[in-house]
Amino acid sequence: MGDEDWEAEIIKPHMSSYVPVFEKDRYSSGANGDTYNRTPASSSEMDDGSSRRDHFMRSGFASGRSLGNRDPGESNKRENTSTMGGFGVGKSFGNRGFSNNKFEEGDSSGFWRESNNDCEDNQTRNRGFSKRGGFQDGNDSEASVSSRRGGRGSFRGCRGRFGLGSPNSEYEQDEGTHRTGGFFGSRRSALSGAGNGDTYQSRSGSGSGRGGYKGLNEEVITGSGKNSWKSEAEGGESGDIQGPKVTYIPPPPPEDEDSIFAHYQTGINFDKYDTILVEVSGHEAPPAILTFEEANLCQTLNSNIAKAGYTKLTPVQKYSIPIILGGRDLMACAQTGSGKTAAFLLPILAHMMRDGITASRFKELQEPECIIVAPTRELINQIYLEARKFSFGTCVRAVVIYGGTQLGHSIRQIVQGCNILCATPGRLMDIIGKEKIGLRQVKYLVLDEADRMLDMGFGPEMKKLISCPGMPSKEQRQTLMFSATFPEEIQRLAGEFLKSNYLFVAVGQVGGACRDVQQTILQVGQYSKREKLVEILRNIGDERTMVFVETKKKADFIATFLCQEKISTTSIHGDREQREREQALGDFRCGKCPVLVATSVAARGLDIENVQHVINFDLPSTIDEYVHRIGRTGRCGNTGRAISFFDPESDSHLAQPLVKVLSDAQQDVPAWLEEIAFSTYVPGFSGSSRGNVFASVDTRKNYQGKSSLNTAGFSSSQAPNPVDDESWD
Ligand SMILES: Nc1ncnc2c1ncn2[C@@H]1O[C@H](COP(=O)(O)OP(=O)(O)OP(=O)(O)O)[C@@H](O)[C@H]1O
């Protein structure tokens, strides 16, 4: 059998592909997913680090020095002169210890060279030799290191039994095959010892060998204001060096009805949604609906909507549901947390119920009617849970597949029947390559966070998807795009995916921030940030807070630092194992760790109850990313607060777009920020930063010259058919 024994796994009788949570806890405590109040990791991790170091060390040396409490940004500034030739990064960060000496091959650009990008799936594809693995508590190395491939055999039995296995002890080729060249071809030999799904609680051991880490041979390329990984070798992973195979099987979500329909309350500002201006452009848009009843959904759907606690439509739902029910393609832009997911799921499900479905669990090749893609694993999982909720009690089966999990597990889910496939792009393309998914029946293609899905990071993969054999042409399928931000150039690219007469719905200002988030910008220099952060977090107390930083390494560092300050914290970023990421999110969701330090991997889409604060420890490089990040709070009519540290040394390019976002959202604009914005004034500015341009409207309007504004709940506008003036093909 090839690189992955998935066929054998499907045919082989398993104990279970699911791991009961209690079993998981019992058998996996040492692997990853635990909190940081365990004993310090054993010294074998250091040994392990050094043995693995041999794989990577070419010319640099491992310094193993301690950085005490300095953060990566500081280190960068002070120490980057000594990094030529790949300075060893053996670091012991504060008490936590990053003693795995690592060497960035060929990296002469600086000690802290790391991508800002937490581009999903690249992690899995490029994982390389991660530092995790094994089942032994606190000793995550040995077997998995000594026999990367051989280790597979030894763990396979365990995999069937526990469904967990060693996340890194095996090659993970499942997502690597299509990564030849292009932007995804990086070979991330990341020593991704990012911790253990841990919560960093006073982990006082030194030399634990933890730490998120970017891989080798990678450089960051930017486009559309976003970054992508690119392999130096340009050859991707196909054929040559592969990383360990992923064996992680996520625990199944709870099956009981209460859990399926668990939801949080809408907030005091939910009714204010009705006052937001909505603009619909495009030809012959159907009128908005005002109530769920008007949508004429079937009884089961209505019952599920009621169980989910939805009594009133949000503006994006009022407009999008009739448009999708009318069979039209759609690009919809609405503020964060305003119900875009249900806006596409409900009408799709309604159609599927009406038209009947074809997939059956007995077919080896599953042909879903609907494919939904999203840029991050956690987000696609969340969308899947929503799909499962709304399809409860129907014959429609939703399936989720994403990177960082065992490919065989994904396939097992699919062959049991798949009508709605929720997927991250990399895993989707792999599964299509394995011929477990046929595309002929696809009637609905949904791109959530569509601007991200079409930018340089994922765009090429999306193009591949729509040109896959069997994929119905855009005329034959319905394509739906949703996001809170839609830069102009991305709107133009989207034309390739959409029928020329697609409709564009803009709820409020395209790319605008949610008004329920109170935004504060503080001028804080690099060296004062940590002190300020602690001060703010101490004032906040136990309220749930997401702290965004710009790099994976810094996420680890800040999380560790906060734990040292006795602030219970966990972290999520692209160098953490999937198991760890899910554990971290779980700990944050349930309040065990009220502070989550995150990179932009958690910026989009995540809908976590009761996140009251977002702190931008580092501002992102683009204003769109800022809008998404602060949108993790203030959701569904609830209020939230966002505090951002603005360092004039590094953030002045954001001054102008920030002033615009703040004033559009009727927030106070600090005088000093206006001054910086003025002094960095760029003529012709329209809210742009690093190539990302706010589209104030549907970009076609520039050509059509017609559109109109409506208040949510009232009639929509009619614009001329764009074909008349502009071809989008
Ligand atoms: N009509 C409604 N009534 C009550 N709650 C709703 C309604 N629509 C959506 N919600 C809830 O609002 C929350 C936010 O919805 P959702 O995650 O779909 O927002 P979004 O617009 O996709 O946000 P983002 O831009 O961050 O991805 C979810 O908890 C969802 O269940």
Side-chain angles (χ1 to χ4, degrees):
M1 193 153 302
D3 48 290
E4 170 95 33
D5 292 348
W6 52 265
E7 274 168 350
E9 290 191 33
I10 292 162
I11 296 159
K12 257 192 280 177
H14 272 280
M15 291 276 295
S16 167
S17 60
Y18 292 142
V19 192
V21 172
F22 64 90
E23 291 279 58
K24 175 183 168 222
D25 289 340
R26 205 158 100 211
Y27 292 116
S28 69
S29 63
N32 291 312
D34 40 12
T35 52
Y36 273 10
N37 40 18
R38 288 190 294 119
T39 50
S42 77
S43 60
S44 62
E45 288 184 340
M46 291 176 75
D47 299 336
D48 173 45
S50 55
S51 68
R52 259 169 288 186
R53 188 168 66 234
D54 293 339
H55 289 288
F56 302 105
M57 295 290 284
R58 299 278 161 82
S59 60
F61 64 94
S63 75
R65 69 200 139 139
S66 166
L67 293 180
N69 274 339
R70 273 181 292 154
D71 74 22
E74 293 170 47
S75 315
N76 190 17
K77 288 195 171 148
R78 294 173 192 177
E79 302 185 43
N80 61 8
T81 50
S82 55
T83 60
M84 286 298 287
F87 197 100
V89 192
K91 9 184 196 307
S92 291
F93 285 153
N95 288 340
R96 185 163 167 230
F98 280 60
S99 67
N100 48 314
N101 299 309
K102 303 167 204 143
F103 167 61
E104 290 192 18
E105 186 178 21
D107 176 9
S108 60
S109 64
F111 187 79
W112 287 104
R113 181 168 180 256
E114 182 184 18
S115 166
N116 299 337
N117 189 20
D118 239 337
C119 192
E120 202 52 72
D121 280 4
N122 292 332
Q123 183 209 359
T124 311
R125 310 166 188 167
N126 307 323
R127 189 176 307 279
F129 301 100
S130 170
K131 215 167 150 35
R132 302 277 138 250
F135 291 103
Q136 296 116 332
D137 196 347
N139 184 353
D140 65 355
S141 53
E142 299 56 50
S144 59
V145 174
S146 56
S147 55
R148 291 282 164 208
R149 270 217 178 263
R152 268 178 79 191
S154 46
F155 288 131
R156 186 158 297 286
C158 298
R159 201 159 81 182
R161 237 173 64 226
F162 314 141
L164 289 170
S166 161
N168 299 309
S169 60
E170 303 172 311
Y171 274 106
E172 178 202 19
Q173 197 173 355
D174 55 288
E175 292 196 313
T177 48
H178 60 285
R179 259 169 227 52
T180 310
F183 303 118
F184 301 100
S186 63
R187 186 180 309 142
R188 180 196 253 168
S189 303
L191 288 167
S192 63
N196 294 332
D198 310 351
T199 50
Y200 300 88
Q201 285 158 2
S202 301
R203 186 192 183 94
S204 59
S206 61
S208 64
R210 304 268 177 252
Y213 204 67
K214 178 182 87 65
L216 308 181
N217 298 340
E218 290 169 339
E219 65 179 275
V220 180
I221 55 170
T222 54
S224 304
K226 308 289 195 298
N227 302 326
S228 303
W229 291 110
K230 189 180 181 187
S231 162
E232 275 181 9
E234 283 276 347
E237 290 190 321
S238 58
D240 47 8
I241 300 171
Q242 288 118 19
K245 185 187 288 182
V246 170
T247 58
Y248 174 59
I249 295 176
E255 296 283 343
D256 62 288
E257 214 173 305
D258 283 351
S259 307
I260 290 173
F261 287 99
H263 61 272
Y264 61 83
Q265 296 303 311
T266 57
I268 49 165
N269 291 334
F270 189 75
D271 287 341
K272 285 196 195 158
Y273 280 158
D274 288 341
T275 61
I276 301 176
L277 290 177
V278 180
E279 180 175 353
V280 181
S281 45
H283 192 56
E284 291 173 358
I289 54 171
L290 299 179
T291 62
F292 280 111
E293 292 71 48
E294 280 181 63
N296 241 337
L297 306 172
C298 70
Q299 210 184 334
T300 317
L301 271 183
N302 279 328
S303 146
N304 290 342
I305 289 167
K307 284 187 211 162
Y310 292 18
T311 52
K312 194 175 162 187
L313 291 157
T314 66
V316 69
Q317 293 163 357
K318 286 176 182 171
Y319 284 85
S320 302
I321 290 174
I323 287 172
I324 299 171
L325 287 175
R328 300 291 295 274
D329 281 7
L330 172 67
M331 184 185 283
C333 189
Q335 70 180 57
T336 51
S338 66
K340 294 186 283 293
T341 318
F344 60 78
L345 281 177
L346 291 173
I348 289 174
L349 278 166
H351 270 181
M352 289 173 85
M353 301 290 290
R354 185 197 63 189
D355 300 341
I357 46 168
T358 54
S360 105
R361 58 178 305 154
F362 305 109
K363 284 207 291 195
E364 186 60 15
L365 176 76
Q366 291 290 325
E367 297 187 305
E369 284 85 1
C370 172
I371 292 182
I372 302 170
V373 287
T376 69
R377 299 161 185 180
E378 290 75 16
L379 176 55
I380 201 66
N381 205 26
Q382 185 180 295
I383 294 169
Y384 158 71
L385 292 174
E386 293 290 289
R388 189 180 72 136
K389 173 169 84 181
F390 290 122
S391 61
F392 184 77
T394 73
C395 50
V396 176
R397 186 176 138 86
V399 169
V400 65
I401 57 170
Y402 53 89
T405 61
Q406 187 197 73
L407 182 65
H409 173 71
S410 294
I411 293 172
R412 280 196 297 279
Q413 301 304 305
I414 287 170
V415 296
Q416 287 172 45
C418 177
N419 304 112
I420 298 180
L421 181 60
C422 307
T424 48
R427 181 54 59 99
L428 176 63
M429 298 310 287
D430 282 340
I431 290 281
I432 292 170
K434 299 274 185 203
E435 297 181 353
K436 288 292 153 193
I437 282 290
L439 300 171
R440 282 183 317 156
Q441 299 294 334
V442 172
K443 295 191 180 69
Y444 313 96
L445 175 63
V446 183
L447 276 62
D448 196 24
E449 307 297 341
D451 53 332
R452 182 73 184 91
M453 299 310 296
L454 294 175
D455 75 11
M456 281 183 73
F458 289 114
E461 215 134 6
M462 289 297 96
K463 281 191 182 172
K464 271 190 226 162
L465 174 64
I466 57 167
S467 43
C468 271
M471 174 61 100
S473 73
K474 63 183 179 184
E475 306 305 331
Q476 252 82 52
R477 62 168 199 261
Q478 213 175 332
T479 306
L480 311 169
M481 301 192 179
F482 284 80
S483 185
T485 51
F486 264 114
E488 275 184 17
E489 76 264 23
I490 298 289
Q491 284 194 42
R492 285 186 227 287
L493 286 174
E496 215 176 299
F497 293 73
L498 295 159
K499 294 185 197 91
S500 54
N501 68 344
Y502 74 85
L503 293 168
F504 184 95
V505 170
V507 181
Q509 174 82 33
V510 173
C514 171
R515 289 189 183 181
D516 298 326
V517 181
Q518 186 195 328
Q519 301 174 56
T520 307
I521 314 289
L522 300 176
Q523 196 172 161
V524 187
Q526 179 73 13
Y527 301 110
S528 315
K529 283 184 177 181
R530 277 185 301 155
E531 202 182 316
K532 193 74 196 166
L533 177 65
V534 170
E535 182 193 319
I536 292 170
L537 288 176
R538 292 216 194 289
N539 284 336
I540 283 174
D542 273 349
E543 292 179 351
R544 231 161 281 179
T545 304
M546 289 178 82
V547 178
F548 282 100
V549 298
E550 194 60 349
T551 67
K552 294 169 261 189
K553 206 175 293 181
K554 207 172 198 179
D556 276 337
F557 182 83
I558 295 299
T560 309
F561 163 72
L562 291 177
C563 285
Q564 287 168 356
E565 296 292 322
K566 305 268 185 292
I567 296 169
S568 195
T569 304
T570 187
S571 76
I572 186 165
H573 59 74
D575 271 353
R576 300 204 81 184
E577 296 299 334
Q578 191 52 30
R579 179 207 316 266
E580 297 167 338
R581 284 165 59 159
E582 289 176 17
Q583 177 84 40
L585 214 50
D587 288 345
F588 182 60
R589 270 186 205 278
C590 74
K592 182 174 168 189
C593 295
V595 177
L596 178 69
V597 180
T599 57
S600 279
V601 77
R604 285 175 178 257
L606 292 186
D607 183 51
I608 299 168
E609 182 174 7
N610 228 0
V611 174
Q612 277 141 317
H613 306 266
V614 167
I615 298 175
N616 282 310
F617 184 90
D618 298 317
L619 276 163
S621 56
T622 70
I623 196 68
D624 287 349
E625 208 60 23
Y626 171 83
V627 167
H628 286 280
R629 281 185 183 184
I630 67 168
R632 295 318 97 212
T633 184
R635 298 177 70 76
C636 205
N638 292 286
T639 54
R641 291 196 62 187
I643 301 175
S644 303
F645 296 169
F646 185 101
D647 178 359
E649 291 231 336
S650 52
D651 301 324
S652 24
H653 67 281
L654 272 183
Q656 264 187 275
L658 265 178
V659 168
K660 177 162 168 47
V661 163
L662 290 168
S663 40
D664 283 350
Q666 294 169 351
Q667 303 287 308
D668 290 340
V669 181
W672 59 263
L673 186 65
E674 275 180 330
E675 256 170 51
I676 296 175
F678 186 72
S679 66
T680 55
Y681 175 71
V682 179
F685 168 77
S686 59
S688 73
S689 167
R690 297 201 185 162
N692 263 4
V693 181
F694 273 148
S696 58
V697 287
D698 177 358
T699 50
R700 294 173 302 176
K701 237 179 63 168
N702 300 335
Y703 305 99
Q704 297 164 199
K706 278 193 193 172
S707 71
S708 62
L709 289 175
N710 308 284
T711 303
F714 298 94
S715 68
S716 58
S717 69
Q718 306 271 305
N721 188 336
V723 182
D724 299 342
D725 297 310
E726 180 80 7
S727 167
W728 287 85
D729 286 327

